[in-house]
Every structure is written in C-alpha cells, then in structure tokens.
Amino acid sequence: MGNYRHKLSKSAYISGKQCLKRLYLQKKYRHLASAPSATQEAIMQQGTTVGELAQAYFPGGVDCTPESYYDFGPSIEQTQVFISDGKQTLYEASFFHDQVLAALDIWHREGEEVWAIEVKSSTSVKEYHLDDAALQYWIMEQLEQAPNRFFIMHLNNQYVRGKALDIKQLFTLTDITELVKEKRTEVGKNLQSYKAVLAQAEIPEVPIGPHCGDPFACEFINHCWQHIPSPSVFDLSRIGTKAYRFYEEGKVSYEDLKEESELSGNQKLQVRSYLKNEVQLKPEGIKQFLGKLEYPLYFFDFETINPAIPLYEGSKPYEQIGVQYSLHWLENEKAELKHFEFLSEFQSDPRKELAKQLVNDLGTSGSIIAYNMSFEQRVIKSLAESNPEIAPQLLALLPRFKDLIIPFSKKYYYHPKMHGSASIKAVLPALFPHDSDLSYDSLTVSEGGTASTLLQAMAENTLDPKTKAQVRQDLLAYCKLDTLAMVKIWEKLSEVV
C-alpha cells in the first residue's frame, strides 16, 4: 500500500478559502477551537442523514467508506480497483493526489459518461459548494479520471411529501460542470499557498473581518477575538459590516464611540445607556403598546421541528412544523394566571391534534402575545394548510397577535445589560438579574437549538427509551419558562406606566 498521508482535504481547502489562519489552527492548534453547539451538531448529523438517503437515488452502489477516517489508504486503492472493474456506482469514492485527499459522495457511470455527484443538505447551490467540487475535479483530472459531468445533488424545497418518500422528487441534480471547470484553474495555486502556510512555524497573521462568519461561523472566534472588549462596536444593533470599518479606525469600545456622529439614534442610545449605566425609557411608547392589548391575554410560544427530510404527508423539506406550545392565560386584571401546554406523543403526524387543541385553548377573543410573533404566525399558517377543515379558525387567530418584542426593538425600554439585543434571552436577565425562577441556566434544556434537536429526535423515534420521559419533562419546562418570561416582562412594562 502506498503512502496516502494527506496534508489537505476538502474541508481543509474550504477552511483555507475562508481564512488561512483558520486552516492553520485547525491543523496545529485544534485545542483552541470552541466546541460545536447543539445546533451545529444537529446540522452535521442532518447532513450525514441526507447523504446516506441520497445513495438511494443511485441504488446498488459499492461503499468505499474507510473503516477508519485516520487511514484512507484502503478506500483510495479500492476506489481504483472498482473503477477498473467497471462498477457502475461507488459511494464515498476516495481520490488522492500530491498529498491532497477528496472523498466523493457518489461516483456513477451513466451510459458512456462518468458523473461526479456531491450531496448537500441545502436547498440550493452555494458558492463554497463550487469550491468544494472544484478541488475534487482537480484531483480527478490529475489522475486522468476527470468526470464528464459534475452535479450538486441538493434538496428540492418544492417537493411535497406523499404517503411515502419519493427520493427522485426529494432531490434535485444541478449540473455545475462548467462552473467547476472555470474554478479548477485556481485550485493548484491555492493548494500551493495552503501547503506553504502549513509549513510555517508561526501562526499566520490574519486580522478579524467579515470572513470570520462567512461562509461558516469559525470555531476559533473566541481565540481570535479575545482582544475585543465587551461590549464593543460589534454589539451595536443593526451595525452590520460597518463595525469592521470602525474597528479598523480604532473605534472599538463604547468609550471610543461616545462622540461618533455616524451612529444611528438607537445606537447612540445604546452607547449612552451603557456608559451612564442607566435604563433608557420612553414611557409613552410603552403606554401605546400596552394600550393595544385586550383581555383575555394569551402569552403564547411554539416549539418546532424543521427536518431536512419531510416526516409527514403534505410537508416540505425544512418546513417549520409546530409540535409543542406553551400558553399562559390571564382572563382579566384580577384573574389568576393559568397555564396550558401541548407536546406531541409523536405516535402519528402531530399537526392535527395540536391544531385542534390550539384553537380550543386560544379562544375567539383577546390578544395573543408572542415574542417575535412572525414565527408563530408562520407556523399557524402552515397548520391551516395541513388542516383545511379548521383553517378558518386557525387563520382567525392571526389578527389577534401582538408582538412583545416591539417595546425593546423600538428602544422604548432599553437596559444596558441587553447589549443591543431585543431577544427574550437578552431582555429577561437584564430585567430580572437575580430571579433564579426566570433563569434558563437552571434548566436542562436552555435554548431553542437544543429543544428543536430533542423534539426532532422524539419525532424520528431515535431517543433512548430510558431518557424519553425525562426529555419530555425538560422540554415542557423550557417552553413553559418562555411564556412565563413573557408574563413577567409584560408586568414589568406595566409597572413603568
């Protein structure tokens, strides 16, 4: 067996395109990376699931996946043997040239042509997909095995699932052959540059910039950004990429920005509030918002799943599907606060049962208060499509919604500890810093990404049966705190006026 130790791979190539420092740190200082979040891990797992399912589009192939990802040698050699033997389809075919490795999701003979297919869990072709494919094409071309056609195989966001999953309709093959050929000329130069960087003794000096989050949030941000104070120009609301210009001008801390004329009114308020450590209030705005609320009050929050591969008849890839909600209800000013909730048992499609209970619990009058209400409204519209028999009742809920984020997004109430964010996760600890009953930190499930991941595991029946009951209680506690938090925030606003 030959020497197949590789210096670069597809993922390393994409990292190099994003940032040479990221490439270097990945190879030599991996311990400086932050652990992936629950959401990032779920995305990676979802990509793996989509890739495995995509193989059914070209059934009967030979799997070249290596037994160990530390040793691609057998896979590289098997790939060449299977190609020589005239196999029609290979999964995870490995190609190696000049210390560069690429594993192709699907290698396929279609008549007289050879097709190279990369599977992506997105619903469209991204620029970095082309860079990824260009590297693979370059390696195969160096081996005199360039494919006749190169495809990105991605999910079709117009596909509506029937009773059974239709693989041919679920996926779309987009021909990127000419785009890849145009890009392959830069691959050789890039590879030389990346190898030279990796041969350096010192970490390359690359200033922070928009590339830190494009096309991926870099796992070394905490390391590379440790010189940035908190709060900083990057925490200003709606600052966007303009923050980097201020940064390059040496205007980083709020103290640096206190005389900055280019800031918007809300940004100046944010800086002023922090430097003076004062809550900024616009009581008239708060009063107008509260005056639009009508009893009974329904404090409402959805939790959803958005599986890449649609689970239920009539659903699409990545459709937000409501599977849980929490509701705190206040009939009038003197009434006792009551709580209602729903969490599917996932014995079948949860949408019908949820929709019926939702219509019953939300009544026909009174304000439905949500935080960033457009999300809840979208889920209800989707429920109306999947439950046409009660669609009128569901759609009648929409005009009753009031958005609790408004007093904070419009800066009617701004606390310096909100750090420019109007999200409920920023507002709640700022308004109630010492109330442990309103802290997400005490919960096992403490953020939406984890909740969605666990809900999807319940829906797909992949949870350990031993933990299922506890996970269910954890999810109910998390969603309940979301709506209790809204009640407490509403009460705090009411105190102001």
Side-chain angles (χ1 to χ4, degrees):
M1 185 178 294
N3 180 9
Y4 297 113
R5 289 182 62 83
H6 62 276
K7 287 187 176 180
L8 293 166
S9 62
K10 287 191 302 181
S11 59
Y13 184 78
I14 298 303
S15 293
K17 288 279 291 187
Q18 180 170 348
C19 173
L20 292 176
K21 188 175 181 181
R22 183 186 186 204
L23 170 66
Y24 194 92
L25 293 176
Q26 281 180 339
K27 291 293 184 181
K28 303 195 176 188
Y29 291 90
R30 192 74 206 181
H31 63 282
L32 297 176
S34 299
S37 67
T39 300
Q40 289 170 324
E41 287 185 335
I43 290 170
M44 288 186 283
Q45 180 56 50
Q46 195 155 249
T48 300
T49 302
V50 170
E52 291 171 351
L53 184 64
Q55 293 175 358
Y57 198 102
F58 298 96
V62 181
D63 192 356
C64 300
T65 303
E67 291 185 10
S68 169
Y69 283 98
Y70 295 101
D71 182 11
F72 270 83
S75 177
I76 294 164
E77 294 190 350
Q78 283 180 341
T79 295
Q80 294 303 317
V81 170
F82 292 143
I83 290 174
S84 297
D85 287 348
K87 299 293 185 185
Q88 183 180 16
T89 304
L90 307 181
Y91 308 136
E92 297 299 322
S94 295
F95 298 91
F96 181 87
H97 176 74
D98 194 22
Q99 299 179 306
V100 185
L101 170 72
L104 181 68
D105 289 326
I106 300 172
W107 182 96
H108 175 71
R109 295 184 202 270
E110 184 72 16
E112 297 298 316
E113 293 184 334
V114 170
W115 289 5
I117 300 123
E118 266 296 288
V119 180
K120 303 298 180 184
S121 57
S122 62
T123 57
S124 62
V125 177
K126 313 292 186 186
E127 184 66 26
Y128 67 89
H129 295 164
L130 303 178
D131 292 320
D132 182 316
L135 174 69
Q136 294 177 92
Y137 189 99
W138 181 86
I139 294 176
M140 296 169 76
E141 189 175 46
Q142 303 308 305
L143 298 171
E144 298 183 352
Q145 293 176 336
N148 300 99
R149 300 177 75 184
F150 209 119
F151 295 91
I152 295 294
M153 187 176 178
H154 58 84
L155 294 167
N156 171 17
N157 60 4
Q158 298 304 307
Y159 168 66
V160 179
R161 175 173 177 152
K163 291 190 184 309
L165 204 59
D166 186 333
I167 300 297
K168 295 288 185 179
Q169 294 299 315
L170 173 64
F171 288 101
T172 295
L173 282 173
T174 299
D175 192 330
I176 59 167
T177 310
E178 295 307 315
L179 295 172
V180 166
K181 285 182 176 179
E182 290 172 11
K183 276 186 167 284
R184 79 188 190 281
T185 55
E186 69 182 53
V187 171
K189 294 178 182 178
N190 287 339
L191 290 172
Q192 284 184 337
S193 171
Y194 300 164
K195 287 176 183 177
V197 166
L198 293 176
Q200 294 175 190
E202 301 294 327
I203 298 173
E205 293 187 13
V206 180
I208 66 172
H211 60 270
C212 293
D214 183 21
F216 304 106
C218 179
E219 66 271 41
F220 298 102
I221 281 181
N222 288 342
H223 170 72
C224 297
W225 287 56
Q226 57 187 313
H227 64 294
I228 302 296
S230 179
S232 75
V233 63
F234 297 101
D235 296 308
L236 292 178
S237 61
R238 300 183 182 276
I239 190 67
T241 56
K242 188 193 291 186
Y244 292 102
R245 178 165 61 79
F246 285 131
Y247 168 74
E248 289 166 3
E249 294 171 357
K251 301 170 183 175
V252 184
S253 71
Y254 281 10
E255 186 68 33
D256 300 330
L257 295 162
K258 63 182 180 182
E259 304 296 334
E260 181 53 59
S261 61
E262 281 192 58
L263 299 184
S264 69
N266 279 339
Q267 289 165 350
K268 289 177 181 177
L269 178 149
Q270 190 177 334
V271 170
R272 183 170 65 249
S273 174
Y274 177 79
L275 293 177
K276 293 184 177 181
N277 195 27
E278 290 179 353
V279 175
Q280 303 288 318
L281 295 175
K282 297 178 181 177
E284 190 58 37
I286 297 173
K287 186 176 182 180
Q288 286 180 1
F289 172 78
L290 294 176
K292 295 176 182 178
L293 304 182
E294 299 177 3
Y295 284 98
L297 301 180
Y298 301 84
F299 298 86
F300 181 72
D301 180 67
F302 266 129
E303 297 299 332
T304 63
I305 59 174
N306 61 332
I309 301 165
L311 297 175
Y312 308 115
E313 185 177 358
S315 65
K316 296 179 178 180
Y318 292 114
E319 182 178 337
Q320 294 281 359
I321 295 176
V323 295
Q324 179 184 3
Y325 67 76
S326 174
L327 170 64
H328 275 89
W329 179 61
L330 202 57
E331 188 173 12
N332 55 57
E333 290 185 40
K334 298 180 180 180
E336 178 185 353
L337 184 67
K338 295 183 180 180
H339 181 250
F340 303 90
E341 61 190 3
F342 176 92
L343 174 53
S344 176
E345 295 286 353
F346 296 105
Q347 301 299 317
S348 59
D349 185 339
R351 292 173 295 176
K352 185 177 293 294
E353 183 186 0
L354 181 147
K356 287 182 177 179
Q357 184 173 320
L358 180 71
V359 166
N360 183 63
D361 285 348
L362 288 177
T364 57
S365 63
S367 295
I368 303 170
I369 302 168
Y371 212 95
N372 208 1
M373 69 183 188
S374 60
F375 177 78
E376 272 68 27
Q377 289 180 318
R378 282 199 306 273
V379 176
I380 287 175
K381 289 175 184 176
S382 178
L383 283 170
E385 290 179 13
S386 61
N387 295 277
E389 68 282 3
I390 56 170
Q393 296 99 303
L394 287 164
L395 296 175
L397 300 172
L398 300 179
R400 294 168 50 199
F401 270 86
K402 298 291 186 289
D403 202 334
L404 191 57
I405 200 173
I406 286 175
F408 304 101
S409 63
K410 290 187 177 296
K411 302 294 191 293
Y412 300 156
Y413 192 119
Y414 183 77
H415 192 291
K417 290 185 178 178
M418 286 162 55
H419 298 302
S421 173
S423 77
I424 197 167
K425 297 296 193 299
V427 169
L428 191 64
L431 270 56
F432 305 96
H434 307 299
D435 193 333
S436 59
D437 291 336
L438 293 176
S439 172
Y440 288 89
D441 293 340
S442 62
L443 300 180
T444 304
V445 176
S446 59
E447 50 87 30
T450 301
S452 185
T453 298
L454 290 171
L455 285 166
Q456 190 157 317
M458 291 177 71
E460 294 171 346
N461 197 29
T462 57
L463 272 184
D464 182 344
K466 295 178 183 177
T467 64
K468 193 171 182 179
Q470 183 59 52
V471 168
R472 184 178 181 84
Q473 292 307 309
D474 293 341
L475 286 165
L476 289 170
Y478 169 74
C479 197
K480 183 177 181 179
L481 181 55
D482 273 346
T483 52
L484 179 61
M486 283 190 264
V487 174
K488 296 300 182 181
I489 290 170
W490 165 75
E491 289 176 348
K492 177 70 87 171
L493 292 174
S494 300
E495 289 174 11
V496 172
V497 298

